Amino acid sequence: MFKLAGEISDGAMVSWGLLSYMKSVALPALQEGAALAGRPTPALIASAPVIFSRDFAQVRQAAYQALGRYLGMPVYQKLFADAGFPLQTDGLPSDELIKEMFIYGTEETIIDRLASMYEAGINELQIAVYPAQDPAYEEGAVMELLGRFARQA
């Protein structure tokens, strides 16, 4: 899919993609397709799920809720497994998958994780806030962080 997107599209979007997967699979295939077609590599757009919490127990619960029905879909099960993070025998994501996929922690950690996605070759981020405790407060806090992040860039 990414190779074809590189050949003919204006970009590719990865939902619930892990940065390691995008760096090792999606981006190289997108670049290969673009090279075959003799054109510039189109944009790679990635989801960036943010949970505004430092408490990993809260992050885990919010991640379970956010992923919900996707955990039962074979395409996402394969994506997680291909990225090296297969679902556990109970069908839930491992802590390692959550730590790789979800952006959480201190304000500085969140900003650093977003920056690392751009540094890895992701062109655009689709940021979604998943609440841990107080949805209105957390969404506002993340929007404030994004404003500071944009000014730094």
Side-chain angles (χ1 to χ4, degrees):
M1 171 185 83
F2 293 107
K3 185 176 174 183
L4 180 61
E7 289 182 54
I8 65 171
S9 77
D10 293 331
M13 184 171 180
V14 182
S15 294
W16 297 118
L18 292 96
L19 183 56
S20 57
Y21 177 85
M22 290 180 277
K23 286 175 21 180
S24 65
V25 176
L27 188 56
L30 196 65
Q31 292 167 334
E32 180 184 355
L36 286 171
R39 62 190 295 250
T41 302
L44 180 57
I45 304 161
S47 60
V50 176
I51 301 171
F52 192 73
S53 177
R54 297 178 189 185
D55 180 340
F56 189 73
Q58 289 179 351
V59 170
R60 183 185 298 116
Q61 286 307 310
Y64 288 172
Q65 288 182 322
L67 288 169
R69 63 188 167 115
Y70 298 99
L71 297 174
M73 295 180 180
V75 67
Y76 289 102
Q77 292 169 357
K78 181 176 180 346
L79 183 141
F80 300 148
D82 288 350
F85 299 95
L87 297 179
Q88 301 174 121
T89 55
D90 60 4
L92 293 174
S94 66
D95 287 352
E96 291 76 19
L97 185 147
I98 292 168
K99 289 174 183 176
E100 171 79 10
M101 178 180 290
F102 287 86
I103 299 167
Y104 66 94
T106 65
E107 292 182 3
E108 183 177 295
T109 301
I110 292 170
I111 288 173
D112 288 348
R113 290 275 311 269
L114 294 172
S116 72
M117 294 180 81
Y118 285 116
E119 291 165 6
I122 309 302
N123 302 98
E124 297 180 35
L125 299 178
Q126 176 194 12
I127 297 170
V129 180
Y130 295 93
Q133 286 192 325
D134 183 344
Y137 169 76
E138 294 165 22
E139 185 174 301
V142 171
M143 293 305 124
E144 172 66 29
L145 270 178
L146 293 176
R148 285 189 292 173
F149 177 67
R151 286 190 295 274
Q152 291 176 0

